Amino acid sequence: MALVCLGLEGTAHSFGAGIVTSKGKVLANEWDMLKPSQGGIHPREASRHHSDLGPGIICRAMETAGMGYKDINLIAFSRGPGLGPCLRTTATMARTLALKLDIPLIDVNHCVAHIEIGSLESRFEDPVTVYVSGGNTQVIAFAGGRFRTFGETLDIAIGNMLDVLGRYLGMEFPAGPLIEKEARAGRDFHSLPYSVKGMDISYSGMLTAAKKLVSDGVPIPDICYSVQETAFGMLAEIAERALAHTKKDELLLTGGVARNDRLTEILTGVSERHGARFHRVSPSLAGDQGAMIAWNGILQYESGHEIEVESSYVLPKWRTDEQDILWRH
Ligand code: AMP
Ligand code: MG
């Protein structure tokens, strides 16, 4: 009999509930993203969003899957990394369900969940993963029992950089897709700070310089085009180095920014040069959602891990490489 896991995601702006079987079948994946009318994401507002809408989203997932609570065998939740108030709200819902239904509770690292749902979809066995989202920008690969961060942003995440620039340009949140659209009409490339430091990258200097182009009167499509080419070029450079160094032959692109076609095109080129296969996670599984949490819950439970409610406190700064990956060898 296949196990069924209900996974709750709530690290930042999105709350999601996903239901996945131990055969890797996604039965439901419902979510909602907080879109502030102005300014960025406030942790308290986001956690209120999760507590207001969470229960309804869980019910919707149960309906979509055509299941009753007695059909659920496991509860998994995003334990970190993320915004404290959001994590605590989500964890409280997960603990309540686990206690009420008297079933195992499993704590999931959000970044690891992104990698594993991508591996499930692509059937990749051991990829180099480029994980790009509103809160994270990392190049990750499995080595010595853990997912190691080969390179990452030293300051702001790529999605955050795009959203902040978009807000400055008067775009609504999330600005990533709007910047992508504008960039297609860009013609003139304007040089921006390209900062790759070893295997790490930095976006804050580039953001400041891009804002300056706005006040210099550079057309918006040219700014968006220049920003994309520079930001994606930096990412491609460290992804390429990770592929060359690890000699792995699969490259996986995941996270909300994976929806970008130009980034996909650039990384496809990187993979081809290294004889690696490439996969971009499909839009419904790319951003923050519960199916990835549920699938990771299954992987962990099947390798013998669960957590007591008493010790299930959240880990806002939980790094990708701090967890022993028991299900991979
Ligand atoms: P996540 O944090 O994984 O839910 O992803 C949300 C982030 O993805 C936001 O910062 C969005 O601006 C960004 N994003 C979504 N679609 C695109 C796109 N087509 N191009 C670039 N960024 C995108
Ligand atoms: Mg994410």
Side-chain angles (χ1 to χ4, degrees), residues 110 114 131 133 288:
H110 176 91
H114 270 294
Y131 166 37
S133 70
D288 293 351

Side-chain angles (χ1 to χ4, degrees), residues 49-242:
H49 165 269
H50 299 354
S51 61
D52 286 349
L53 299 189
I57 292 171
I58 295 170
C59 290
R60 241 167 48 214
M62 297 297 293
E63 277 167 27
T64 305
M67 293 198 150
Y69 286 100
K70 60 174 182 352
D71 303 316
I72 303 292
N73 308 111
L74 310 165
I75 301 284
F77 71 103
S78 53
R79 190 181 188 188
L83 306 171
C86 300
L87 293 171
R88 280 189 286 276
T89 301
T90 307
T92 304
M93 284 187 247
R95 291 178 198 125
T96 309
L97 282 166
L99 287 172
K100 175 82 183 149
L101 302 174
D102 195 20
I103 56 178
L105 178 68
I106 300 133
D107 54 322
V108 174
N109 180 299
H110 176 91
C111 307
V112 169
H114 270 294
I115 302 169
E116 291 295 2
I117 197 75
S119 297
L120 173 69
E121 188 187 58
S122 60
R123 304 195 178 273
F124 281 180
E125 285 183 358
D126 188 20
V128 168
T129 302
V130 176
Y131 166 37
V132 278
S133 70
N136 294 282
T137 303
Q138 299 184 326
V139 174
I140 310 161
F142 184 74
R146 292 192 173 191
F147 282 113
R148 311 283 170 184
T149 308
F150 276 73
E152 64 188 323
T153 176
L154 294 171
D155 39 56
I156 51 174
I158 187 164
N160 187 224
M161 181 273 292
L162 294 170
D163 293 335
V164 172
L165 176 67
R167 202 186 313 147
Y168 196 74
L169 292 171
M171 295 171 176
E172 59 179 42
F173 175 87
L178 305 169
I179 289 180
E180 174 172 25
K181 206 162 150 230
E182 289 287 346
R184 284 198 202 108
R187 292 289 167 266
D188 290 332
F189 179 79
H190 293 260
S191 181
L192 291 166
Y194 179 99
S195 59
V196 175
K197 304 173 187 196
M199 283 297 282
D200 293 325
I201 54 187
S202 153
Y203 285 128
S204 67
M206 208 199 83
L207 175 60
T208 308
K211 284 179 172 171
K212 180 149 185 309
L213 293 183
V214 181
S215 41
D216 290 348
V218 173
I220 290 180
D222 289 346
I223 298 174
C224 295
Y225 167 64
S226 307
V227 163
Q228 282 205 162
E229 294 305 305
T230 310
F232 298 163
M234 284 153 60
L235 202 52
E237 181 181 332
I238 61 169
E240 178 150 14
R241 216 174 291 142

Side-chain angles (χ1 to χ4, degrees), residues 245-311:
H245 178 79
T246 60
K247 300 191 170 57
K248 293 191 194 282
D249 57 6
E250 297 159 338
L251 185 64
L252 181 68
L253 174 61
T254 190
V257 184
R259 298 193 183 102
N260 189 288
D261 289 339
R262 178 62 184 139
L263 177 58
T264 302
E265 190 180 15
I266 292 173
L267 292 181
T268 302
V270 168
S271 329
E272 282 167 4
R273 280 198 291 285
H274 288 267
R277 285 182 298 146
F278 176 79
H279 181 80
R280 162 186 27 193
V281 175
S282 60
S284 65
L285 296 176
D288 293 351
Q289 30 70 35
M292 67 177 189
I293 303 298
W295 174 237
N296 195 256
I298 299 250
L299 290 175
Q300 293 201 65
Y301 184 75
E302 289 193 327
S303 59
H305 178 78
E306 61 182 276
I307 191 168
E308 295 301 322
V309 166
E310 292 74 14
S311 47

